[in-house]
Amino acid sequence: MGEKISLGPVLSQDMQTMFSWRNDPEVSYASGPYIPIDEVVFSEWVSGAKVQGTRVLFSVRNKHNAKLLGYTELYNIEFSARSAEFGIAIGLKADRGRGYGQDATKLALEYCWKELRLERVSLRVVGDNPVAVHVYKKVGFEIEGKLRRAAFTRGQFHDVTLMGILRPQSV
């Protein structure tokens, strides 16, 4: 459990809220043009984390009242290379900027190091998002490069910042 949040399983009562977040252009992944998903695709996305073994999906909850705040996922887990990619979404605008995402990222990384025994975690930041880059740097991610005009969202091409973190020596 973190300072402000806890990570846990996605529950059946979370589905409708998470479905609406996945269809919100402000929340959904900004790696390409916004395309709404239907309930079948959403259900496959959630259940895929349970059966594939190459993804782990967590709910992000306020540790004081168990309110669903968002979700985080580890995906493209490569056990032979001991690496994965990381993504996070905090659903409501009112819940952003309160440290929930930073706390969830720390917990997800702890899971990567201690449970999955990973050596490296990477992520992508689409477009000019200094807040996200700042938060990721605070938990130890470093900028590793930039893919110029690699994402197309909202009618424009955007650069993608590549960030990564390595397993700490102390773990």
Side-chain angles (χ1 to χ4, degrees):
M1 206 174 283
E3 293 177 28
K4 300 178 179 190
I5 64 97
S6 63
L7 297 182
V10 174
L11 305 174
S12 59
Q13 61 261 34
D14 300 335
M15 296 301 185
Q16 192 58 46
T17 301
M18 288 178 61
F19 177 69
S20 68
W21 290 341
R22 288 282 299 187
N23 279 300
D24 181 345
E26 294 296 320
V27 178
S28 64
Y29 297 122
S31 60
Y34 169 68
I35 301 171
I37 62 171
D38 62 28
E39 289 176 333
V40 172
V41 171
F42 174 76
S43 179
E44 289 171 355
W45 175 75
V46 172
S47 64
K50 296 174 186 168
V51 296
Q52 290 178 356
T54 59
R55 282 184 58 230
V56 178
L57 180 65
F58 290 111
S59 63
V60 176
R61 296 185 188 284
N62 183 310
K63 85 173 195 179
H64 302 291
N65 61 18
K67 173 188 172 193
L68 181 66
L69 300 168
Y71 55 87
T72 184
E73 85 176 301
L74 300 161
Y75 60 100
N76 293 335
I77 299 172
E78 296 277 345
F79 287 104
S80 61
R82 295 176 58 189
S83 66
E85 293 183 62
F86 174 76
I88 186 168
I90 301 297
L92 298 177
K93 199 171 201 166
D95 290 329
R96 295 182 207 141
R98 296 176 170 247
Y100 299 135
Q102 181 177 334
D103 206 17
T105 302
K106 286 178 185 177
L107 286 177
L109 288 172
E110 188 175 310
Y111 177 82
C112 288
W113 310 145
K114 292 181 178 178
E115 300 299 326
L116 298 179
R117 310 294 296 159
L118 298 181
E119 193 65 27
R120 167 187 174 70
V121 176
S122 61
L123 60 84
R124 296 167 179 251
V125 178
V126 176
D128 184 31
N129 192 339
V131 173
V133 170
H134 175 73
V135 169
Y136 294 134
K137 281 183 173 181
K138 280 179 82 171
V139 299
F141 280 89
E142 296 180 26
I143 294 176
E144 296 183 328
K146 193 169 287 242
L147 301 174
R148 296 175 301 144
R149 296 190 304 207
F152 185 80
T153 63
R154 298 193 178 146
Q156 295 182 341
F157 283 97
H158 299 277
D159 292 346
V160 174
T161 302
L162 305 175
M163 300 183 78
I165 187 170
L166 301 177
R167 176 188 191 79
Q169 296 295 322
S170 60
V171 178

